[in-house]
Amino acid sequence: MHELSMAEGILKAVIEKSEDNNATEVIEVVVEIGKMVLINPEQIKFLLDVLSEDTIVKGAIFTIEEIPIEIDCPECEYKGKIDDDELDHYAPVVNCPKCGNKRLHITNGKDCIVKNIIIEQED
Amino acid sequence: MHKIAEIEVQHNIMKANEKIAKRIQESLNSHNVFSVDFVGAIGSGKTTLIEELITDMNGNIAVIAGDVISKFDAGRFKKHGIPVVGLNTGKECHLDAHLVEHVLDDIPLKDIDYLFIENVGNLICPVDFDLGAHMRVVVISVSEGDDTVEKHPLIFQSADLVVINKVDIADAVGADADKMVADAKALNPNVKIIKTSLKHKEGLKEVIFAIEEFLIQ
Ligand SMILES: Nc1nc2c(ncn2[C@@H]2O[C@H](COP(=O)(O)OP(=O)(O)OP(=O)(O)O)[C@@H](O)[C@H]2O)c(=O)[nH]1
Ligand SMILES: [Mg+2]
Ligand SMILES: [Zn+2]
């Protein structure tokens, strides 16, 4: 539900990096969003489109890659991926696939990362 | 001539918040201030609880009142004659570390023992944003319905103390407070859960004890 502030954060990082690299146009932006982050990727994409209107990023393709959840179970010591296909964006309930424990250490899937950008540069 | 280039960014939006949260906690620690983030559903009794703590707890307390429009709750805290900073989140659904760090300068850290932060009434978004507080208290009430805990697993897993308030009206709203306790226990087996009726000061002593106990640990 805080898609707006996340989208603003993403855009700010993209604009800074584009300017640092003398971009004349931003063609594509690749963002990785963890499945444990409580935001809806579709809504992020929509907001990025709207917010980038008056910036150098206008018209760029926004590609969202989801980061799968990985856990570390303190009960049975299972480490690794879980089945996260059916998770709800706002209430991801995760269980250990081996022992069912819910108190897990989440080792991956909680980040939102602007991974890279593809730009056109003047040379 | 134009050329196309792929530029690595690797900018982690979540880590930015984490970094500031860490800075906040260091600053609190250097002044020996213990900080509690109160999160919970809208109208569950967060402000009421903090007001009761201000009245009954030993030690000097300051409050950050975060809300979409903060002046209402901030006004209630100010009546107690303590340092209060209102934090308008505007359209945002949660406080983040950046907002808190901004107002930290307005809090007389050297004069206080506790900094209580009232987060925006919301059981989802605050999960993603650590504020640098030492403890998180989740406040819900029976009037949200007794499936509230089940529906918001992450916030209850992130809690250090769960307060289930307004048990005085449980029957009237047809909610089973004990089911809520059991649900919270299932999600977070080690967490302390206290049923309260803050309107009648019931359970308040237990809450104060739980906060002081957590502080010592
Ligand atoms: N019946 C009953 N009402 C209560 C109790 N505790 C608080 N209330 C009432 O619930 C209403 C909301 O309480 P607040 O303390 O303002 O709740 P809040 O969580 O701070 O609300 P927001 O900041 O708007 O999200 C007030 O009218 C309180 O008087 C209780 O134990 N029983
Ligand atoms: Mg309030
Ligand atoms: Zn396990």
Side-chain angles (χ1 to χ4, degrees):
Chain A
M1 300 201 181
H2 35 275
E3 282 80 359
L4 182 58
S5 58
M6 297 292 273
E8 283 168 345
I10 291 167
L11 200 63
K12 187 162 166 265
V14 172
I15 290 173
E16 265 170 31
K17 203 72 182 183
S18 311
E19 286 173 352
D20 287 352
N21 288 280
N22 303 317
T24 52
E25 195 189 331
V26 179
I27 298 164
E28 187 179 354
V29 175
V30 183
V31 182
E32 292 181 309
I33 300 180
K35 285 201 167 183
M36 274 308 267
V37 181
L38 302 176
I39 54 178
N40 179 341
E42 281 311 312
Q43 210 179 333
I44 283 280
K45 251 168 118 157
F46 171 74
L47 286 166
L48 285 170
D49 274 334
V50 175
L51 293 172
S52 61
E53 264 305 297
D54 298 317
T55 74
I56 188 171
V57 191
K58 181 182 160 87
I61 298 164
F62 296 101
T63 304
I64 310 263
E65 294 174 356
E66 291 193 306
I67 307 172
I69 296 171
E70 285 178 46
I71 62 148
D72 190 340
C73 176
E75 288 290 324
C76 73
E77 297 184 357
Y78 172 86
K79 279 187 184 43
K81 294 212 166 81
I82 60 161
D83 179 14
D84 55 13
D85 286 347
E86 303 291 319
L87 285 184
D88 190 286
H89 286 307
Y90 295 128
V93 185
V94 300
N95 297 313
C96 172
K98 243 176 107 186
C99 74
N101 177 24
K102 286 182 182 169
R103 274 293 272 184
L104 303 168
H105 187 205
I106 310 290
T107 52
N108 207 359
K110 289 177 92 166
D111 291 312
C112 172
I113 301 165
V114 183
K115 196 173 157 193
N116 56 40
I117 54 175
I118 296 171
I119 57 169
E120 199 171 280
Q121 291 170 315
E122 200 102 46
D123 63 3
Chain B
M1 265 298 284
H2 292 283
K3 65 172 196 218
I4 308 283
E6 182 175 329
I7 312 274
E8 210 178 33
V9 184
Q10 290 297 345
H11 178 86
N12 193 330
I13 309 277
M14 309 306 275
K15 284 270 161 30
N17 186 78
E18 252 172 64
K19 231 188 254 164
I20 303 172
K22 219 170 141 221
R23 217 153 58 204
I24 292 171
Q25 189 160 96
E26 278 162 10
S27 160
L28 294 168
N29 287 343
S30 72
H31 290 91
N32 260 319
V33 173
F34 183 76
S35 174
V36 185
D37 174 20
F38 292 85
V39 301
I42 294 181
S44 61
K46 298 178 295 298
T47 306
T48 307
L49 174 59
I50 297 171
E51 285 188 279
E52 294 296 341
L53 295 176
I54 293 167
T55 310
D56 281 21
M57 267 179 105
N58 294 319
N60 294 324
I61 297 170
V63 178
I64 294 177
D67 208 339
V68 179
I69 310 166
S70 70
K71 67 170 194 253
F72 299 104
D73 286 350
R76 281 166 66 185
F77 295 129
K78 274 187 190 134
K79 289 201 185 107
H80 296 269
I82 58 155
V84 178
V85 180
L87 232 186
N88 285 312
T89 56
K91 56 199 185 304
E92 266 322 314
C93 43
H94 59 272
L95 289 179
D96 63 27
H98 174 79
L99 285 169
V100 171
E101 190 177 48
H102 255 283
V103 298
L104 214 56
D105 285 342
D106 301 332
I107 309 245
L109 291 179
K110 60 178 177 15
D111 302 330
I112 60 168
D113 305 298
Y114 295 99
L115 175 61
F116 291 160
I117 304 172
E118 179 172 344
N119 214 315
V120 180
N122 183 329
L123 289 172
I124 297 175
C125 305
V127 173
D128 280 338
F129 298 91
D130 184 1
L131 303 181
H134 299 92
M135 179 181 191
R136 173 173 277 172
V137 178
V138 177
V139 184
I140 50 165
S141 82
V142 295
S143 56
E144 285 98 64
D146 57 18
D147 53 358
T148 306
V149 179
E150 273 177 286
K151 287 201 289 208
H152 303 92
L154 294 182
I155 196 96
F156 291 94
Q157 286 174 333
S158 77
D160 299 305
L161 171 66
V162 175
V163 173
I164 298 173
N165 189 30
K166 305 193 193 178
V167 292
D168 53 296
I169 56 165
D171 287 342
V173 298
D176 179 355
D178 290 323
K179 177 192 182 293
M180 300 169 90
V181 172
D183 288 346
K185 200 118 232 134
L187 285 166
N188 192 345
N190 300 318
V191 81
K192 182 124 194 148
I193 304 161
I194 301 171
K195 290 190 284 184
T196 62
S197 174
L198 293 170
K199 206 171 181 172
H200 306 100
K201 285 196 163 231
E202 276 171 38
L204 180 63
K205 273 208 188 75
E206 287 86 341
V207 174
I208 293 175
F209 184 74
I211 293 173
E212 288 172 347
E213 196 181 48
F214 195 88
L215 190 165
I216 295 163
Q217 281 171 18

